[in-house]
Amino acid sequence: EPEVTQTPSHQVTQMGQEVILRCVPISNHLYFYWYRQILGQKVEFLVSFYNNEISEKSEIFDDQFSVERPDGSNFTLKIRSTKLEDSAMYFCASSQDTPPREQYFGPGTRLTVT
Amino acid sequence: EDQVTQSPEALRLQEGESSSLNCSYTVSGLRGLFWYRQDPGKGPEFLFTLYSAGEEKEKERLKATLTKKESFLHITAPKPEDSATYLCAVHNSGYALNFGKGTSLLVTP
């Protein structure tokens, strides 16, 4: 069964450093998303991406964040200058069509900022 | 203001003891309500989408229902492997899913 994959599973970085989180969405999906979940809190939407551009972003997704589809399979989230409060699980998701079509989530990358 | 409220926050059941989880929502123009299962340290796993009041969907021991104000996830004769956090999410516009905080379910043998 096709699934979303994410690397790395755990990333530790120092405050102020840049990190890139990587995702391979399901191959025939066209819509891509990033969500995050701070420990003990709910899953929060960050950004959606379609046809090589951002289709929607939340207030959380400020100028320190960027997304890119550098090739036909990968989808990345870059955090330019990490802060302690960026520590969270970051989930990539993909869907075949726009919501309310279901979104399929990857296993997540645990980002720890020290 | 929370648009999605799940209750209870935590639920402990004996194996075989059926129960229901609740997801109430306040969004207008609901286009879809989603149930996901999340195991510790893992990503949400899709279970169901419900689109309109009165709709029901089933998968093994799980049955999801939808009214105009809330959704229920009924768990019939649960097993220990059903232990997980169950997340409800709603969509009314754009691309984002708006999640509740989840119900943590523990099923003991």
Side-chain angles (χ1 to χ4, degrees), chain A residues 41-98:
Chain A
Q41 298 187 22
K42 67 178 184 177
V43 176
E44 300 175 289
F45 171 78
L46 293 178
V47 66
S48 61
F49 191 85
Y50 170 71
N51 200 26
N52 276 321
E53 59 183 29
I54 290 173
S55 45
E56 184 179 353
K57 60 183 181 179
S58 71
E59 292 179 354
I60 303 169
F61 194 88
D62 61 22
D63 291 344
Q64 69 161 342
F65 291 94
S66 63
V67 289
E68 189 179 35
R69 187 152 164 86
D71 54 44
S73 58
N74 290 283
F75 179 50
T76 62
L77 174 70
K78 181 192 289 186
I79 309 175
R80 267 181 264 282
S81 178
T82 50
K83 306 171 187 171
L84 294 176
E85 53 265 36
D86 293 328
S87 295
M89 281 287 280
Y90 287 81
F91 296 111
C92 174
S94 68
S95 64
Q96 268 190 324
D97 205 339
T98 57

Side-chain angles (χ1 to χ4, degrees), chain B residues 44-89:
Chain B
E45 175 190 344
F46 172 74
L47 295 173
F48 305 109
T49 309
L50 301 167
Y51 296 101
S52 58
E55 190 174 1
E56 299 182 353
K57 288 194 176 169
E58 284 189 70
K59 179 180 178 179
E60 296 180 357
R61 295 177 293 282
L62 301 177
K63 178 179 176 180
T65 62
L66 180 65
T67 73
K68 289 185 179 179
K69 294 290 185 185
E70 58 192 349
S71 175
F72 292 93
L73 184 65
H74 308 278
I75 304 177
T76 302
K79 299 181 178 181
E81 53 261 42
D82 294 322
S83 297
T85 296
Y86 290 85
L87 305 177
C88 171

Side-chain angles (χ1 to χ4, degrees), chain A residues 13-31:
Chain A
T13 189
Q14 287 192 327
M15 198 166 50
Q17 296 297 303
E18 175 182 288
V19 295
I20 298 176
L21 310 183
R22 292 183 167 79
C23 166
V24 178
I26 294 173
S27 61
N28 64 342
H29 286 188
L30 301 176
Y31 298 82

